[in-house]
Coordinates of all heavy atoms in Angstrom, one line a residue:
M3 N -1.9 -4.1 -3.9 CA -2.1 -5.5 -4.2 C -1.8 -5.7 -5.6 O -2.1 -5.0 -6.5 CB -3.5 -5.9 -3.8 CG -3.8 -7.3 -4.3 SD -5.3 -7.9 -3.4 CE -4.5 -8.2 -1.8
Q4 N -1.0 -6.8 -5.9 CA -0.6 -7.1 -7.3 C -1.1 -8.5 -7.6 O -0.9 -9.5 -6.8 CB 0.9 -7.0 -7.4 CG 1.4 -7.1 -8.8 CD 2.9 -6.9 -8.9 OE1 3.7 -7.8 -8.5 NE2 3.3 -5.8 -9.3
L5 N -1.6 -8.7 -8.8 CA -2.0 -10.0 -9.4 C -1.0 -10.3 -10.5 O -1.0 -9.5 -11.5 CB -3.4 -9.9 -9.9 CG -3.9 -11.1 -10.7 CD1 -3.9 -12.4 -9.9 CD2 -5.3 -10.9 -11.3
A6 N -0.2 -11.3 -10.3 CA 0.7 -11.7 -11.4 C 0.3 -13.1 -11.9 O 0.1 -14.0 -11.1 CB 2.2 -11.8 -10.9
N7 N 0.0 -13.1 -13.2 CA -0.5 -14.3 -13.8 C 0.6 -15.2 -14.4 O 1.1 -14.8 -15.5 CB -1.6 -14.0 -14.9 CG -2.3 -15.2 -15.4 OD1 -1.9 -16.3 -15.1 ND2 -3.3 -14.9 -16.2
F8 N 0.9 -16.3 -13.7 CA 2.0 -17.2 -14.2 C 1.4 -18.3 -15.0 O 2.1 -19.3 -15.4 CB 2.8 -17.7 -13.1 CG 3.6 -16.6 -12.4 CD1 3.2 -16.2 -11.1 CD2 4.7 -15.9 -13.0 CE1 3.9 -15.2 -10.4 CE2 5.3 -14.9 -12.3 CZ 4.9 -14.5 -11.0
G9 N 0.1 -18.3 -15.2 CA -0.6 -19.4 -15.9 C -0.7 -19.3 -17.4 O -0.1 -18.3 -17.9
E10 N -1.5 -20.1 -17.9 CA -1.7 -20.1 -19.4 C -3.1 -19.6 -19.8 O -3.4 -19.5 -21.0 CB -1.6 -21.5 -19.9 CG -0.2 -22.1 -19.7 CD 0.0 -23.5 -20.2 OE1 -1.1 -24.2 -20.5 OE2 1.1 -24.0 -20.3
D11 N -3.9 -19.2 -18.8 CA -5.3 -18.7 -19.0 C -5.4 -17.3 -18.4 O -4.6 -17.0 -17.5 CB -6.3 -19.6 -18.5 CG -6.3 -21.0 -19.1 OD1 -6.3 -21.1 -20.3 OD2 -6.2 -22.0 -18.3
E12 N -6.4 -16.6 -18.8 CA -6.7 -15.3 -18.1 C -7.2 -15.6 -16.7 O -8.0 -16.5 -16.5 CB -7.7 -14.5 -18.9 CG -7.2 -14.0 -20.2 CD -8.2 -13.0 -20.8 OE1 -9.5 -13.2 -20.6 OE2 -7.8 -12.1 -21.6
H13 N -6.9 -14.7 -15.8 CA -7.5 -14.7 -14.4 C -7.7 -13.3 -13.9 O -7.0 -12.4 -14.4 CB -6.5 -15.4 -13.5 CG -6.2 -16.9 -13.8 ND1 -7.1 -17.9 -13.7 CD2 -5.1 -17.4 -14.4 CE1 -6.6 -19.0 -14.1 NE2 -5.4 -18.8 -14.5
D14 N -8.6 -13.2 -13.0 CA -8.8 -11.9 -12.3 C -8.8 -12.2 -10.8 O -8.5 -13.3 -10.4 CB -10.0 -11.1 -12.8 CG -11.3 -11.8 -12.3 OD1 -11.3 -12.8 -11.6 OD2 -12.4 -11.3 -12.6
L15 N -9.1 -11.2 -10.0 CA -9.1 -11.3 -8.6 C -10.1 -10.5 -7.9 O -10.3 -9.3 -8.3 CB -7.7 -10.9 -8.0 CG -7.5 -11.1 -6.5 CD1 -7.6 -12.5 -6.1 CD2 -6.1 -10.5 -6.1
R16 N -10.9 -11.1 -7.1 CA -11.9 -10.4 -6.3 C -11.6 -10.6 -4.8 O -11.2 -11.7 -4.5 CB -13.3 -10.9 -6.6 CG -13.7 -10.8 -8.1 CD -14.2 -9.5 -8.5 NE -14.3 -9.3 -9.9 CZ -15.4 -9.4 -10.6 NH1 -16.5 -9.7 -10.0 NH2 -15.3 -9.2 -11.9
L17 N -11.9 -9.6 -4.0 CA -11.7 -9.8 -2.6 C -12.9 -9.2 -1.8 O -13.4 -8.2 -2.2 CB -10.5 -8.9 -2.1 CG -9.1 -8.9 -2.7 CD1 -9.0 -8.1 -3.9 CD2 -8.2 -8.5 -1.6
R18 N -13.2 -9.9 -0.8 CA -14.2 -9.3 0.1 C -13.9 -9.7 1.5 O -13.6 -10.8 1.8 CB -15.6 -9.9 -0.2 CG -16.7 -9.3 0.7 CD -18.1 -9.9 0.4 NE -18.6 -9.3 -0.8 CZ -19.9 -9.0 -0.9 NH1 -20.8 -9.3 0.1 NH2 -20.4 -8.5 -2.0
R19 N -14.0 -8.7 2.4 CA -13.7 -8.9 3.8 C -14.8 -9.7 4.4 O -16.0 -9.4 4.1 CB -13.6 -7.5 4.5 CG -13.1 -7.5 5.9 CD -12.8 -6.1 6.4 NE -12.5 -6.0 7.8 CZ -13.4 -5.8 8.7 NH1 -14.7 -5.6 8.4 NH2 -13.1 -5.8 10.0
V20 N -14.5 -10.6 5.2 CA -15.6 -11.4 5.9 C -16.4 -10.5 6.8 O -15.8 -9.7 7.6 CB -14.9 -12.5 6.8 CG1 -16.0 -13.2 7.6 CG2 -14.2 -13.5 5.9
G21 N -17.7 -10.4 6.6 CA -18.5 -9.5 7.3 C -18.7 -8.2 6.6 O -19.5 -7.3 7.0
G22 N -18.0 -8.0 5.5 CA -18.1 -6.7 4.7 C -19.1 -6.9 3.5 O -19.6 -8.0 3.3
T23 N -19.3 -5.8 2.9 CA -20.2 -5.8 1.8 C -19.5 -5.4 0.4 O -20.1 -5.5 -0.6 CB -21.4 -4.8 2.0 OG1 -20.8 -3.5 2.3 CG2 -22.2 -5.3 3.2
R24 N -18.4 -4.8 0.5 CA -17.7 -4.3 -0.7 C -16.8 -5.4 -1.3 O -16.1 -6.0 -0.6 CB -16.9 -3.1 -0.4 CG -16.1 -2.6 -1.6 CD -15.4 -1.3 -1.3 NE -14.6 -0.9 -2.5 CZ -13.8 0.2 -2.5 NH1 -13.7 1.0 -1.5 NH2 -13.2 0.5 -3.6
T25 N -17.0 -5.6 -2.6 CA -16.1 -6.5 -3.3 C -15.1 -5.7 -4.1 O -15.5 -4.9 -4.9 CB -16.9 -7.4 -4.2 OG1 -17.9 -8.2 -3.4 CG2 -16.0 -8.4 -5.0
Y26 N -13.8 -5.9 -3.8 CA -12.8 -5.2 -4.5 C -12.4 -6.1 -5.8 O -12.5 -7.3 -5.8 CB -11.5 -5.1 -3.7 CG -11.7 -4.2 -2.5 CD1 -12.2 -4.7 -1.3 CD2 -11.3 -2.9 -2.5 CE1 -12.3 -3.9 -0.2 CE2 -11.5 -2.0 -1.4 CZ -12.0 -2.6 -0.3 OH -12.1 -1.7 0.8
R27 N -12.1 -5.4 -6.8 CA -11.8 -6.1 -8.1 C -10.4 -5.7 -8.6 O -10.0 -4.5 -8.6 CB -12.8 -5.6 -9.2 CG -14.2 -5.9 -8.9 CD -15.1 -5.1 -9.8 NE -16.5 -5.5 -9.6 CZ -17.3 -6.0 -10.5 NH1 -16.8 -6.2 -11.7 NH2 -18.5 -6.3 -10.2
V28 N -9.6 -6.7 -8.9 CA -8.4 -6.5 -9.6 C -8.7 -7.0 -11.0 O -9.2 -8.2 -11.2 CB -7.2 -7.3 -9.0 CG1 -5.9 -7.0 -9.8 CG2 -7.0 -6.8 -7.6
G29 N -8.4 -6.2 -12.0 CA -8.8 -6.6 -13.4 C -8.2 -7.8 -13.9 O -7.3 -8.4 -13.4
T30 N -8.7 -8.2 -15.1 CA -8.2 -9.5 -15.7 C -6.7 -9.4 -16.2 O -6.4 -8.4 -16.8 CB -9.1 -9.8 -16.9 OG1 -10.4 -9.9 -16.5 CG2 -8.6 -11.1 -17.6
A31 N -6.0 -10.3 -15.8 CA -4.6 -10.4 -16.2 C -4.4 -11.5 -17.2 O -4.8 -12.6 -17.0 CB -3.7 -10.7 -15.0
S32 N -3.8 -11.1 -18.3 CA -3.5 -12.1 -19.4 C -2.3 -13.0 -18.9 O -1.6 -12.6 -18.0 CB -3.1 -11.4 -20.6 OG -4.1 -10.5 -21.1
P33 N -2.2 -14.1 -19.6 CA -1.0 -15.0 -19.2 C 0.3 -14.1 -19.3 O 0.5 -13.4 -20.3 CB -1.0 -16.1 -20.3 CG -2.5 -16.2 -20.6 CD -3.0 -14.8 -20.6
G34 N 1.1 -14.2 -18.2 CA 2.3 -13.4 -18.1 C 2.1 -11.9 -17.7 O 3.0 -11.2 -17.5
G35 N 0.8 -11.6 -17.5 CA 0.5 -10.2 -17.2 C 0.4 -9.9 -15.7 O 0.4 -10.8 -14.9
V36 N 0.4 -8.6 -15.4 CA 0.3 -8.2 -14.0 C -0.8 -7.1 -14.0 O -0.8 -6.2 -14.8 CB 1.6 -7.6 -13.6 CG1 1.5 -7.0 -12.2 CG2 2.7 -8.7 -13.6
R37 N -1.6 -7.1 -12.9 CA -2.6 -6.1 -12.7 C -2.4 -5.7 -11.2 O -2.1 -6.5 -10.4 CB -4.0 -6.6 -12.9 CG -4.3 -7.0 -14.3 CD -4.2 -5.9 -15.3 NE -5.2 -4.8 -15.1 CZ -6.4 -4.7 -15.7 NH1 -6.7 -5.6 -16.7 NH2 -7.2 -3.7 -15.5
E38 N -2.8 -4.4 -11.0 CA -2.6 -3.9 -9.6 C -3.8 -3.2 -9.1 O -4.6 -2.6 -9.9 CB -1.4 -2.9 -9.6 CG -0.1 -3.6 -9.8 CD 1.1 -2.7 -9.6 OE1 0.9 -1.4 -9.7 OE2 2.2 -3.2 -9.4
L39 N -4.0 -3.2 -7.8 CA -5.1 -2.4 -7.1 C -4.5 -1.7 -6.0 O -3.8 -2.3 -5.1 CB -6.1 -3.4 -6.6 CG -7.2 -2.8 -5.7 CD1 -8.1 -1.9 -6.5 CD2 -8.0 -3.9 -5.0
E40 N -4.7 -0.4 -5.9 CA -4.3 0.4 -4.7 C -5.5 0.5 -3.8 O -6.5 1.1 -4.2 CB -3.8 1.7 -5.2 CG -2.4 1.7 -5.9 CD -1.4 2.5 -5.2 OE1 -1.7 3.2 -4.2 OE2 -0.2 2.4 -5.6
A41 N -5.4 0.1 -2.6 CA -6.5 0.2 -1.7 C -5.9 0.1 -0.2 O -4.9 -0.4 0.0 CB -7.5 -0.9 -1.9
R42 N -6.7 0.6 0.7 CA -6.4 0.5 2.1 C -7.5 -0.4 2.7 O -8.7 -0.1 2.6 CB -6.4 1.8 2.8 CG -5.3 2.8 2.4 CD -5.4 4.1 3.0 NE -5.2 4.1 4.4 CZ -4.0 4.2 5.0 NH1 -2.9 4.4 4.2 NH2 -3.9 4.2 6.3
F43 N -7.1 -1.5 3.3 CA -8.0 -2.5 3.8 C -8.1 -2.4 5.3 O -7.1 -2.2 6.0 CB -7.6 -3.9 3.4 CG -7.5 -4.2 2.0 CD1 -6.3 -4.4 1.4 CD2 -8.6 -4.1 1.2 CE1 -6.2 -4.6 0.0 CE2 -8.6 -4.3 -0.2 CZ -7.4 -4.6 -0.8
L44 N -9.3 -2.6 5.8 CA -9.5 -2.7 7.3 C -8.9 -4.1 7.7 O -8.9 -5.0 6.9 CB -11.0 -2.7 7.6 CG -11.7 -1.4 7.4 CD1 -13.2 -1.6 7.6 CD2 -11.2 -0.4 8.5
P45 N -8.5 -4.1 9.0 CA -8.0 -5.4 9.5 C -9.1 -6.4 9.4 O -10.3 -6.1 9.6 CB -7.6 -5.1 10.9 CG -7.4 -3.6 11.0 CD -8.3 -3.0 10.0
G46 N -8.7 -7.7 9.1 CA -9.7 -8.7 9.1 C -9.3 -9.8 8.1 O -8.2 -9.8 7.6
R47 N -10.2 -10.7 8.0 CA -10.0 -11.8 7.1 C -10.7 -11.6 5.8 O -11.9 -11.2 5.8 CB -10.5 -13.1 7.7 CG -10.1 -14.4 7.0 CD -10.6 -15.6 7.9 NE -9.9 -15.6 9.2 CZ -8.7 -16.2 9.4 NH1 -8.1 -16.9 8.4 NH2 -8.2 -16.2 10.6
F48 N -10.0 -11.8 4.7 CA -10.6 -11.5 3.3 C -10.6 -12.8 2.6 O -9.7 -13.6 2.6 CB -9.7 -10.5 2.6 CG -9.9 -9.1 3.0 CD1 -9.3 -8.7 4.2 CD2 -10.6 -8.2 2.3 CE1 -9.4 -7.4 4.7 CE2 -10.7 -6.9 2.7 CZ -10.1 -6.5 3.9
R49 N -11.7 -13.0 1.9 CA -11.8 -14.1 0.9 C -11.4 -13.6 -0.4 O -11.8 -12.5 -0.9 CB -13.3 -14.6 0.8 CG -13.9 -15.1 2.2 CD -13.3 -16.4 2.6 NE -14.0 -16.8 3.9 CZ -13.3 -17.4 4.8 NH1 -12.0 -17.6 4.7 NH2 -13.9 -17.7 5.9
L50 N -10.6 -14.4 -1.1 CA -10.1 -14.0 -2.5 C -10.6 -15.1 -3.4 O -10.6 -16.3 -3.1 CB -8.6 -13.9 -2.5 CG -7.9 -12.7 -1.9 CD1 -8.1 -12.6 -0.4 CD2 -6.4 -12.8 -2.2
W51 N -10.9 -14.7 -4.6 CA -11.3 -15.7 -5.6 C -11.1 -15.1 -7.0 O -11.1 -13.9 -7.2 CB -12.7 -16.2 -5.4 CG -13.8 -15.2 -5.7 CD1 -14.5 -15.0 -6.9 CD2 -14.3 -14.2 -4.8 NE1 -15.4 -14.0 -6.8 CE2 -15.3 -13.5 -5.5 CE3 -14.0 -13.8 -3.5 CZ2 -16.0 -12.4 -4.9 CZ3 -14.7 -12.8 -2.9 CH2 -15.7 -12.1 -3.6
C52 N -11.0 -16.0 -8.0 CA -11.0 -15.6 -9.4 C -12.5 -15.7 -9.9 O -13.1 -16.7 -9.7 CB -10.1 -16.6 -10.2 SG -10.1 -16.2 -12.0
S53 N -12.9 -14.7 -10.6 CA -14.3 -14.7 -11.0 C -14.5 -15.1 -12.5 O -15.6 -15.1 -13.0 CB -14.9 -13.3 -10.9 OG -14.4 -12.4 -11.9
I54 N -13.5 -15.6 -13.1 CA -13.6 -16.0 -14.5 C -14.1 -17.4 -14.6 O -13.6 -18.3 -13.8 CB -12.2 -15.8 -15.2 CG1 -11.9 -14.3 -15.3 CG2 -12.3 -16.5 -16.6 CD1 -10.6 -14.0 -16.0
A55 N -15.1 -17.6 -15.5 CA -15.7 -19.0 -15.7 C -15.9 -19.7 -14.4 O -16.5 -19.1 -13.5 CB -14.7 -19.8 -16.7
D56 N -15.5 -21.0 -14.3 CA -15.8 -21.8 -13.1 C -14.5 -21.9 -12.2 O -14.4 -22.8 -11.4 CB -16.2 -23.1 -13.5 CG -15.2 -23.9 -14.3 OD1 -14.2 -23.3 -14.8 OD2 -15.4 -25.1 -14.6
H57 N -13.6 -20.9 -12.3 CA -12.4 -21.0 -11.6 C -12.6 -21.1 -10.1 O -11.9 -21.8 -9.4 CB -11.5 -19.8 -12.0 CG -11.0 -19.8 -13.4 ND1 -10.1 -19.0 -13.9 CD2 -11.4 -20.6 -14.4 CE1 -9.9 -19.2 -15.2 NE2 -10.7 -20.2 -15.5
R58 N -13.6 -20.3 -9.6 CA -13.8 -20.3 -8.2 C -14.3 -21.7 -7.7 O -13.8 -22.2 -6.7 CB -14.9 -19.3 -7.8 CG -15.0 -19.1 -6.3 CD -16.1 -18.1 -5.9 NE -16.1 -17.8 -4.5 CZ -16.8 -16.8 -4.0 NH1 -17.7 -16.1 -4.7 NH2 -16.7 -16.6 -2.7
A59 N -15.2 -22.3 -8.4 CA -15.7 -23.6 -8.1 C -14.6 -24.6 -8.2 O -14.7 -25.7 -7.5 CB -16.9 -23.9 -9.0
R60 N -13.6 -24.4 -9.0 CA -12.6 -25.4 -9.2 C -11.4 -25.1 -8.2 O -10.3 -25.7 -8.3 CB -12.1 -25.3 -10.6 CG -13.1 -25.9 -11.6 CD -12.8 -25.6 -13.0 NE -11.6 -26.4 -13.4 CZ -11.0 -26.3 -14.6 NH1 -11.5 -25.5 -15.5 NH2 -9.9 -27.0 -14.8
G61 N -11.6 -24.2 -7.3 CA -10.7 -24.1 -6.2 C -9.8 -22.9 -6.3 O -8.8 -22.8 -5.5
M62 N -10.0 -22.0 -7.2 CA -9.2 -20.8 -7.3 C -9.6 -19.7 -6.3 O -10.2 -18.7 -6.6 CB -9.2 -20.2 -8.7 CG -8.0 -19.3 -9.0 SD -7.8 -19.0 -10.8 CE -7.1 -20.5 -11.3
T63 N -9.3 -20.1 -5.0 CA -9.7 -19.2 -3.9 C -8.5 -19.1 -2.9 O -7.6 -19.9 -2.9 CB -10.9 -19.8 -3.1 OG1 -10.6 -21.0 -2.5 CG2 -12.1 -20.0 -4.1
A64 N -8.6 -18.1 -2.0 CA -7.5 -18.0 -1.0 C -8.1 -17.1 0.1 O -9.2 -16.5 0.0 CB -6.3 -17.3 -1.6
T65 N -7.4 -17.1 1.2 CA -7.7 -16.3 2.3 C -6.6 -15.3 2.6 O -5.4 -15.7 2.5 CB -8.0 -17.1 3.6 OG1 -9.1 -18.0 3.3 CG2 -8.3 -16.2 4.8
L66 N -6.9 -14.1 2.9 CA -5.9 -13.1 3.2 C -6.2 -12.5 4.5 O -7.3 -12.1 4.8 CB -5.9 -11.9 2.1 CG -5.0 -10.7 2.4 CD1 -3.5 -11.1 2.3 CD2 -5.4 -9.6 1.5
L67 N -5.2 -12.5 5.4 CA -5.4 -12.0 6.8 C -4.7 -10.6 6.8 O -3.5 -10.5 6.6 CB -4.8 -12.9 7.8 CG -5.1 -12.6 9.3 CD1 -6.6 -12.6 9.5 CD2 -4.4 -13.6 10.2
V68 N -5.5 -9.5 7.1 CA -4.9 -8.2 7.2 C -4.9 -7.8 8.6 O -5.9 -7.9 9.3 CB -5.8 -7.2 6.4 CG1 -5.3 -5.8 6.6 CG2 -5.9 -7.5 4.9
K69 N -3.7 -7.5 9.1 CA -3.5 -7.2 10.5 C -3.3 -5.7 10.7 O -2.9 -5.0 9.7 CB -2.2 -7.9 11.0 CG -2.4 -9.4 11.0 CD -1.1 -10.1 11.6 CE -1.3 -11.6 11.7 NZ -0.1 -12.2 12.2
K70 N -3.6 -5.2 11.9 CA -3.4 -3.8 12.2 C -1.9 -3.5 12.0 O -1.0 -4.2 12.4 CB -3.8 -3.5 13.6 CG -5.3 -3.5 13.8 CD -5.7 -3.2 15.2 CE -7.2 -3.3 15.4 NZ -7.6 -3.1 16.8
A71 N -1.7 -2.3 11.5 CA -0.3 -1.9 11.3 C 0.3 -1.5 12.6 O -0.3 -1.1 13.5 CB -0.2 -0.7 10.3
Ligands
CU106 CU1 -8.9 -17.8 -12.9

């Protein structure tokens, strides 16, 4: 998984599978920066969000659907 920051502020990325307990973290990416996370995910729906400041409350969220290979 790769986080590429095309914005003007720092951002990070957190993921949690719906029904899961583990929160995955992709570190903070500076403007123009890229951060990566190597992981194997179980199939399911994941919530993604940025944990910096109030970004999540301001809508910096997404859903990721992981399907069986
Ligand atoms: Cu952010």
Side-chain angles (χ1 to χ4, degrees):
M3 170 159 290
Q4 187 179 75
L5 169 64
N7 186 352
F8 297 108
E10 298 177 347
D11 301 306
E12 289 188 332
H13 298 288
D14 70 1
L15 181 62
R16 304 279 168 97
L17 308 81
R18 181 183 283 216
R19 186 171 175 268
V20 174
T23 55
R24 178 174 176 183
T25 300
Y26 295 87
R27 300 164 176 240
V28 180
T30 303
S32 301
V36 175
R37 298 296 296 264
E38 291 185 343
L39 169 70
E40 290 238 354
R42 294 175 67 89
F43 298 115
L44 289 171
R47 189 173 299 270
F48 287 73
R49 304 283 181 223
L50 284 65
W51 69 94
C52 176
S53 73
I54 291 180
D56 60 349
H57 294 189
R58 185 179 193 177
R60 293 171 64 183
M62 197 166 283
T63 64
T65 300
L66 173 70
L67 190 60
V68 175
K69 296 183 176 179
K70 288 182 182 174

